Amino acid sequence: MESYRQNQLKQWFDNDLGRGLADLEATRFEPFINAMFGYHVVQLGQLRAGEDLLQRCPARNHVVMGLDSQREGSQIIADATRLPFAGDSVDGVLLPHTLDFSKDPHQLLRDVERVLIPEGKVLISGFNPWSQWGVWRLMRLRSNAMPWCGHFFSSGRVTDWLALLGFDLLELRYLHFRPPLNSPGVMQKLQFMERLGERVYPKLGGVYIIHAVKRVATLTPIRPKWTVKKRVLPTAAEPTIRNGLE
């Protein structure tokens, strides 16, 4: 079921509205991806068929992992809640709307935390329920059409989940402040809403991007209470005036 929804999502990102959003997200992802150094970086899921958002990533190896039966453009096929990587082995993970359409988003994030090395980065995009996109979703609440059938978790909820797993939030950005209209001409005329939204109502963008880092607990050594004290040897009593008088 999850792979079917992911394939539907990729088809939606091929229409006019989806292409515009995918291009915008790819542009906003770029500075974060360019800062993902290390050996291994993984992209879980795709916005468009065969799209590799990690092409310019400076990490030595990057992998596009398809979900379940996704194959086009994927180097690994696996269940996103059971990532086929060893613990503490991945430097960065990219989740482009993967949580929005995951069958178990909590387990997915737990497994992401497991495979990330200390100081490893996670980059997440998701649909914002507190936006015009969220209003559109409420109007189509019983619709199975993409992307309205997704979870639409709020950025606050996702950052809370990450905090519980030991992540620190590095940056939170919002984008696409125009209504989700599948009309290139109208969307072009509403381009001014992007600049207006970023200045006036920055938290009402249709999509958010979360950049977080896996926190490392620093242990401060504590001296054990059972440390053996130095032995005090008895000394001979020195004569005193009183002893002499006696």
Side-chain angles (χ1 to χ4, degrees):
M1 180 62 179
E2 183 176 5
S3 61
Y4 172 72
R5 299 178 84 185
Q6 287 290 333
N7 287 328
Q8 276 191 313
L9 182 63
K10 288 195 294 184
Q11 291 175 9
W12 181 83
F13 272 108
D14 280 333
N15 68 29
D16 291 327
L17 177 60
R19 277 196 301 272
L21 179 60
D23 290 340
L24 181 58
E25 286 194 40
T27 300
R28 297 298 179 88
F29 276 143
E30 192 168 348
F32 298 112
I33 292 173
N34 289 344
M36 282 187 172
F37 298 97
Y39 291 95
H40 308 292
V41 177
V42 179
Q43 175 183 323
L44 302 183
Q46 303 167 26
L47 297 184
R48 291 175 286 198
E51 184 175 41
D52 181 0
L53 294 168
L54 301 175
Q55 287 183 352
R56 298 184 180 180
C57 180
R60 182 172 298 180
N61 301 304
H62 54 87
V63 175
V64 178
M65 197 187 94
L67 305 181
D68 295 330
S69 62
Q70 285 183 321
R71 296 192 178 277
E72 187 175 359
S74 301
Q75 297 163 297
I76 296 178
I77 309 298
D79 184 343
T81 61
R82 297 178 181 177
L83 301 179
F85 307 109
D88 298 335
S89 64
V90 175
D91 297 274
V93 177
L94 173 62
L95 304 173
H97 292 281
T98 314
L99 289 180
D100 284 330
F101 301 95
S102 172
K103 61 185 179 183
D104 192 345
H106 304 92
Q107 179 57 38
L108 190 156
L109 285 179
R110 281 193 290 268
D111 223 33
V112 167
E113 188 278 335
R114 177 186 65 81
V115 303
L116 276 174
I117 64 170
E119 300 297 333
K121 306 298 195 314
V122 62
L123 191 58
I124 300 170
S125 67
F127 290 109
N128 181 14
W130 313 117
S131 67
Q132 296 187 69
W133 289 68
V135 173
W136 244 255
R137 178 174 179 263
L138 289 176
M139 295 170 60
R140 303 186 180 190
L141 192 57
R142 297 184 179 181
S143 172
N144 290 322
M146 284 290 172
W148 319 114
C149 60
H151 296 300
F152 277 49
F153 297 120
S154 68
S155 59
R157 191 172 180 183
V158 176
T159 53
D160 284 346
W161 291 344
L162 290 171
L164 289 173
L165 290 171
F167 285 86
D168 282 333
L169 178 65
L170 296 177
E171 195 163 352
L172 172 60
R173 293 185 181 181
Y174 295 87
L175 54 100
H176 208 295
F177 297 88
R178 289 167 288 174
L181 303 175
N182 197 24
S183 172
V186 175
M187 294 298 279
Q188 183 62 36
K189 291 180 180 179
L190 296 176
Q191 182 65 36
F192 72 93
M193 295 183 69
E194 296 297 320
R195 297 184 296 275
L196 180 66
E198 290 178 353
R199 292 197 305 266
V200 180
Y201 43 93
K203 294 184 179 181
L204 299 182
V207 171
Y208 56 81
I209 291 178
I210 293 173
H211 188 212
V213 60
K214 182 177 175 179
R215 184 168 56 229
V216 180
T218 303
L219 299 179
T220 303
I222 301 175
R223 180 175 297 176
K225 294 182 180 180
W226 44 261
T227 301
V228 178
K229 295 181 179 179
K230 293 182 180 180
R231 183 179 180 182
V232 179
L233 298 176
T235 57
E238 295 181 1
T240 61
I241 297 177
R242 185 176 178 180
N243 290 337
L245 291 177
E246 295 176 353

